[in-house]
Amino acid sequence: MFTRIDHIGIAVRSLEEAVATLARTGGVVVGARESVPANQVEAIMVAAGDAPIEFIQPTSPESTVATFLEKRGEGLHHVAYRVDDIDAALAACVAQGFRAIDAKPRHGYAGSRVAFLHPKGFNGVLTELVERPAGKDVPPYELEHS
Ligand code: CO
């Protein structure tokens, strides 16, 4: 059901600084900055080859990412898996006993639909399911070279 790693999410205090730092390594592709109101974050996808990193920065102190930064500082926030049908995948995970944070999928980065699952079921790692829009396969599809 999980078809590939869609991206790795990293919580940061400053998107600009995080992207600029990674860009200094050379060869990465930087995506558009996008607001994801459902999660109270702004995000930028940065890809090395076809493996994207999603930097996320909270836009409100009430964001769960703001709480994460306060408690743990910057760092790995979640691992996201690609699924073809998020409604079916979420229902199947719940049927298997995984605890869903989102009862229903919500809107994510770049027209995706996403849902989060509790870290307890995944060795302590917050886990995201991602369904990409039809015909748009790999997240860097709309990225421009930096
Ligand atoms: Co994500």
Side-chain angles (χ1 to χ4, degrees):
M1 187 190 342
F2 290 1
T3 59
R4 54 167 286 171
I5 299 275
D6 188 89
H7 63 272
I8 305 292
I10 298 179
V12 300
R13 297 186 196 285
S14 164
L15 286 177
E16 292 81 5
E17 283 180 28
V19 169
T21 299
L22 193 58
R24 285 211 307 273
T25 64
V28 297
V29 177
V30 179
R33 183 179 183 129
E34 221 180 84
S35 178
V36 185
N39 297 350
Q40 295 181 295
V41 297
E42 289 192 327
I44 296 181
M45 287 276 189
V46 179
D50 68 350
I53 299 294
E54 177 189 54
F55 288 118
I56 47 178
Q57 175 191 320
T59 54
S60 151
E62 276 105 66
S63 167
T64 56
V65 177
T67 310
F68 178 95
L69 286 170
E70 249 171 58
K71 280 193 191 155
R72 300 169 60 168
E74 294 186 313
L76 176 65
H77 182 263
H78 63 271
V79 171
Y81 296 92
R82 180 85 56 83
V83 298
D84 292 329
D85 177 342
I86 195 164
D87 300 287
L90 183 59
C93 285
V94 169
Q96 286 293 321
F98 294 100
R99 181 142 53 104
I101 291 172
D102 299 305
K104 286 192 299 185
R106 46 182 159 162
H107 294 292
Y109 186 93
S112 62
R113 295 173 69 221
V114 306
F116 284 90
L117 297 166
H118 198 278
K120 275 215 168 90
F122 295 92
N123 305 92
V125 179
L126 177 64
T127 295
E128 180 181 16
L129 308 179
V130 181
E131 178 191 308
R132 294 280 160 200
K136 294 194 167 181
D137 184 34
V138 179
Y141 51 78
E142 57 189 12
L143 306 186
E144 291 169 11
H145 281 272
S146 59

